[in-house]
Amino acid sequence: MDINSWPEPLSRSFGKINESLYVTMQGPSEFGISGKLEKWDVKNQLSKITVPTLSIGAKYDTMDPEHMKWISTQVKNGTYLYCDKGSHMSMYDDQETYMKGLIKFIKDTDNKLNK
């Protein structure tokens, strides 16, 4: 999506990003992590997460959707949502899939917790 056509909330949030913190943690680009997160690995702790967890993958995301799917299998109450038209901002570029999936997850979670 061209930067000039970004939705206002997205432009606003990027306008308030703490670049110093981002670079410290991630590095100057998420396409080559070189910050403090580079060697941070908590995969062996995912099974300790017991709250309902929605992991979202998208076809055009820089994060591998198969890895996001895998994460949903490692937490105790994981659910996976795939946005086939989405990117890292699926809430904007694949709104229908994203919102339907998110609402379903919330309703399913609410139903499980209220039984």
Side-chain angles (χ1 to χ4, degrees), residues 6-61:
W6 282 7
E8 187 276 332
L10 184 58
S11 297
R12 182 170 22 100
S13 66
F14 271 89
K16 296 185 184 291
I17 196 167
N18 182 331
E19 288 186 42
S20 175
L21 178 61
Y22 181 90
V23 171
T24 298
M25 300 305 287
Q26 181 82 24
S29 169
E30 61 186 49
F31 296 107
I33 298 175
S34 60
K36 292 185 180 279
L37 294 177
E38 181 180 18
K39 294 185 177 26
W40 188 64
D41 185 353
V42 293
K43 288 190 284 274
N44 63 342
Q45 296 179 47
L46 292 174
S47 64
K48 295 178 183 177
I49 299 173
T50 60
V51 296
T53 304
L54 178 61
S55 179
I56 302 172
K59 183 174 184 176
Y60 302 104
D61 197 345

Side-chain angles (χ1 to χ4, degrees), residues 54 97-109:
L54 178 61
T97 303
Y98 182 94
M99 292 301 176
K100 281 182 180 177
L102 179 59
I103 290 167
K104 181 180 182 329
F105 172 75
I106 291 169
K107 285 181 176 181
D108 289 351
T109 300

